[in-house]
Amino acid sequence: MRSNIGIAELKAHLSEYVRAAQRGGEIIIKDRQTPVAKLVPIEQPRMIGEIRRATRSVAEVQRMLDARPPEPPIPPETFQRILDEERADHSDEWIFSRT
């Protein structure tokens, strides 16, 4: 397949040239013998890790999650105490405990 083509040739065989570019080809498009554009493949992103096949189906994982015993609800008083402790400014306690 030629790498320098005219617009009419590109229009007539566009899908073939696109597939050639997907395979790594570079096609220069000319308008009246003047290069005007380039058809090149898009750089594919590199994978950052290893892809591993799943050992269980999504349905099997869902069945496992559904079979878990329900977690006991947190009483409102306990939940409020936890929130209060998280929101408290403990810096004063540290300063007073050092004196």
Side-chain angles (χ1 to χ4, degrees):
M1 183 167 280
R2 295 183 327 176
S3 61
N4 291 307
I5 59 168
I7 293 175
E9 169 73 11
L10 177 66
K11 284 171 44 175
H13 303 282
L14 179 61
S15 60
E16 295 172 30
Y17 286 108
V18 169
R19 281 194 289 279
Q22 283 178 321
R23 291 189 301 269
E26 189 172 286
I27 293 95
I28 306 296
I29 303 162
K30 294 182 175 182
D31 185 15
R32 296 182 186 91
Q33 300 304 314
T34 303
V36 293
K38 188 187 302 187
L39 183 60
V40 295
I42 294 177
E43 184 177 320
Q44 297 298 318
R46 294 189 192 131
M47 297 300 284
I48 297 180
E50 180 182 343
I51 297 176
R52 296 183 182 179
R53 292 213 175 270
T55 57
R56 294 183 170 92
S57 69
V58 174
E60 186 177 354
V61 171
Q62 190 60 53
R63 280 192 301 274
M64 291 168 61
L65 291 172
D66 292 343
R68 288 183 306 175
E71 294 183 19
I74 298 175
E77 309 82 42
T78 304
F79 187 74
Q80 189 60 49
R81 184 178 51 79
I82 292 170
L83 280 178
D84 292 343
E85 287 177 9
E86 286 294 315
R87 293 176 180 161
D89 183 4
H90 295 287
S91 59
D92 291 344
E93 293 174 15
W94 181 80
I95 291 170
F96 294 126
S97 67
R98 308 275 300 168
T99 57

